[in-house]
């Protein structure tokens, strides 16, 4: 088994993809799976066609990333295309996209069944699912996958992103492309797989009950306008007169929900406040339910820089007993965190490379992260890191 990556920063789509393919071909032959992460300015149709011609027997999955990509070659700010390829003679892989007017739950069910069919392993549970959906309904998508496969199959992934949250995200496989839908890949690799999903934030202890919610907007916390409660936690005065983005200021102060406990210590999934609404609500990048308790979480710039390496260290520790050197891996890093520490992303790349033992990896910057917690729960969250590592037997 071999894993290899390549990267190109040429501005023209045809030059960038040709360069990336040429570099990849020097490292790996006849890959069965090719993942593609790219900036929004590239022509996804041209990328798709070029990759089909270069790798006619490979399953392909492409997803746009926010303002750059990270690989084992380092952090690449702005424009670029990264390829990640796996050559596994006895393994199998299948990719699929479903983009219809159906409910996200049903699209996810169809996508995972089609991907399994494309893998040639019908009736067999995959070892891993890599999920890339367009933002907005990730919780329902996870439920749809679990409806078909149960809860034992780990899901890792990240929601497609663009540069400025304007809806310019893109997804494609070797079969089709979309700007609204569910894309995923099922893995049946001939090696050990390990994974990890963490936030790196700590609770402040301050919390409130969601007393009114609509979609992804929290309208009230403890029967008060949500922004009033949130700003009181931060020691600020709320202003409900106009809608305003709070993405940047809230990236170190997200809202958390307890998922489970390990040794009596809770672990959380995060929801990133996106903007204030006219009625004093808070719009999120994740869905919360009425009656849930939300905790004010806190993070620091230093934690955002170092935690990616720690998450990979955690994934490297299989069953907390046997540490192996990875052949390669995939890391999902939140775009909101990346933007907060963009001036220090070269340090983030250093920590990830060290944790990966310099093995090839790719890391897009996404608008929501999916992973499986230590307790076995697949979940969608924000401001989080998800990682999967592949180990030679």
């Amino acid at each position: 088994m071999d894993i290899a990556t390549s990267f190109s920063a040429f501005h023209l789509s045809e030059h960038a993809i040709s360069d990336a393919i040429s570099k990849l071909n020097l490292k790996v032959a006849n890959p069965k799976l090719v993942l593609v992460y790219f900036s929004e300015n590239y022509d996804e149709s041209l990328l798709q066609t070029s990759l089909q011609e270069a790798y006619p027997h490979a399953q392909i999955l492409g997803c746009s990333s926010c303002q750059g990509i990270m690989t084992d070659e380092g952090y690449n700010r702005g424009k670029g295309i990264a390829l990640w390829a796996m050559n596994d003679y006895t393994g199998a892989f299948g990719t699929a996209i479903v983009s219809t007017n159906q409910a996200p739950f049903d699209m996810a069910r169809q996508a995972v069944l089609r991907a399994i069919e494309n893998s040639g392993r019908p009736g067999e549970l995959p070892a891993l699912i890599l999920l890339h959906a367009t933002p907005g309904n990730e919780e329902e998508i996870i439920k749809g996958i679990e409806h078909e496969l149960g809860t034992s199959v780990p899901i890792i992934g990240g929601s497609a992103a663009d540069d400025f949250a304007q809806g310019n995200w893109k997804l494609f496989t070797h079969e089709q492309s979309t700007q609204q839908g569910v894309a995923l890949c099922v893995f049946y690799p001939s090696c050990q797989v390990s994974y990890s999903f963490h936030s790196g934030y700590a609770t402040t202890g301050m919390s409130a009950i969601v007393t009114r919610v609509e979609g992804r907007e929290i309208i009230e916390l403890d029967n008060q306008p949500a922004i009033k409660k949130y700003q009181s936690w931060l020691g600020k005065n709320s202003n409900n007169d106009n809608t305003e983005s709070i993405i940047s200021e809230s990236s170190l102060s997200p809202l958390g929900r307890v998922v489970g406990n390990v040794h009596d210590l809770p672990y959380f999934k995060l929801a990133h406040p996106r903007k204030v609404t006219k009625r004093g609500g808070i719009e999120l990048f994740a869905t919360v339910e009425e009656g849930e308790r939300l905790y004010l979480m806190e993070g620091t710039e230093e934690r955002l820089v170092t935690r990616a390496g720690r998450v990979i260290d955690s994934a490297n520790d299989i069953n907390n007993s046997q540490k192996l050197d990875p052949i390669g891996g995939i890391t999902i890093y939140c775009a909101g965190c990346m933007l907060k520490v963009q001036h220090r992303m070269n340090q983030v790349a250093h920590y990830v490379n060290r944790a990966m033992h310099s093995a090839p990896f790719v890391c897009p910057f996404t608008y929501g992260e999916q992973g499986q917690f230590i307790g076995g729960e697949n979940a969608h969250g924000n401001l989080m890191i998800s990682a999967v590592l592949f180990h030679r037997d």
Side-chain angles (χ1 to χ4, degrees), residues 7-190:
F7 177 81
S8 180
F10 283 118
H11 286 232
L12 291 179
S13 298
E14 56 267 36
H15 293 167
I17 192 60
S18 177
D19 183 47
I21 289 171
S22 296
K23 291 174 179 175
L24 189 68
N25 289 342
L26 296 175
K27 301 177 182 180
V28 66
N30 302 316
K32 282 191 172 181
L33 173 66
V34 178
L35 304 178
V36 194
Y37 297 103
F38 56 98
S39 307
E40 67 169 56
N41 56 292
Y42 291 104
D43 181 347
E44 72 275 20
S45 296
L46 191 149
L47 305 188
Q48 181 191 48
T49 301
S50 299
L51 290 164
Q52 283 178 303
E53 293 175 354
Y55 309 111
H57 304 297
Q59 296 286 300
I60 297 169
L61 177 59
C63 177
S64 55
S65 174
C66 176
Q67 297 188 30
I69 305 126
M70 185 164 59
T71 72
D72 46 291
E73 296 180 16
Y75 167 60
N76 305 283
R77 181 172 181 169
K79 298 178 181 179
I81 296 174
L83 302 181
W84 183 99
M86 178 178 278
N87 181 348
D88 185 353
Y89 290 107
T90 58
F93 311 91
T95 64
I97 282 179
V98 173
S99 178
T100 67
N101 292 325
Q102 299 178 76
F105 179 92
D106 293 321
M107 287 196 291
R109 291 175 55 228
Q110 293 175 27
V112 74
L113 293 176
R114 186 179 300 172
I116 290 173
E117 181 181 352
N118 287 342
S119 76
R121 295 283 185 92
E124 185 179 342
L125 283 179
L128 172 76
I129 292 173
L130 174 64
L131 172 63
H132 290 307
T134 50
N137 299 285
E138 293 91 342
E139 293 89 356
E140 288 301 306
I141 290 167
I142 290 174
K143 289 178 182 177
I145 294 171
E146 292 185 336
H147 178 83
E148 292 298 331
L149 304 185
T151 60
S152 63
V153 179
I155 300 170
I156 78 140
S159 307
D162 60 2
D163 286 348
F164 302 105
Q166 300 295 315
N168 296 321
W169 40 71
K170 306 169 182 178
L171 296 168
F172 70 84
T173 66
H174 52 288
E175 296 177 328
Q176 66 185 99
S177 62
T178 187
Q179 285 190 283
Q180 191 67 42
V182 178
L184 53 79
C185 178
V186 293
F187 286 70
Y188 299 88
S190 61

Side-chain angles (χ1 to χ4, degrees), residues 134-138 159-169 180 215-218 226-227 230-231 234 242-255 270-278 280-288 294 334 336 339 367-368 380 382-383:
T134 50
N137 299 285
E138 293 91 342
S159 307
D162 60 2
D163 286 348
F164 302 105
Q166 300 295 315
N168 296 321
W169 40 71
Q180 191 67 42
R216 285 190 163 179
E217 180 192 357
I218 304 172
I227 188 59
Y230 180 71
Q231 296 284 37
L234 300 179
N242 298 296
T243 60
E244 56 180 0
S245 171
I246 54 172
I247 292 176
S248 180
E249 67 180 275
S250 66
S251 60
L252 294 180
S253 303
L255 301 171
L270 305 186
H272 187 184
R274 181 176 184 176
K275 70 176 182 179
V276 181
T277 65
K278 290 183 178 180
I282 301 174
E283 186 179 307
L284 307 172
F285 283 101
T287 301
V288 301
L294 299 184
C334 172
L339 293 172
Y367 283 164
H380 165 72
N382 309 136
L383 301 167

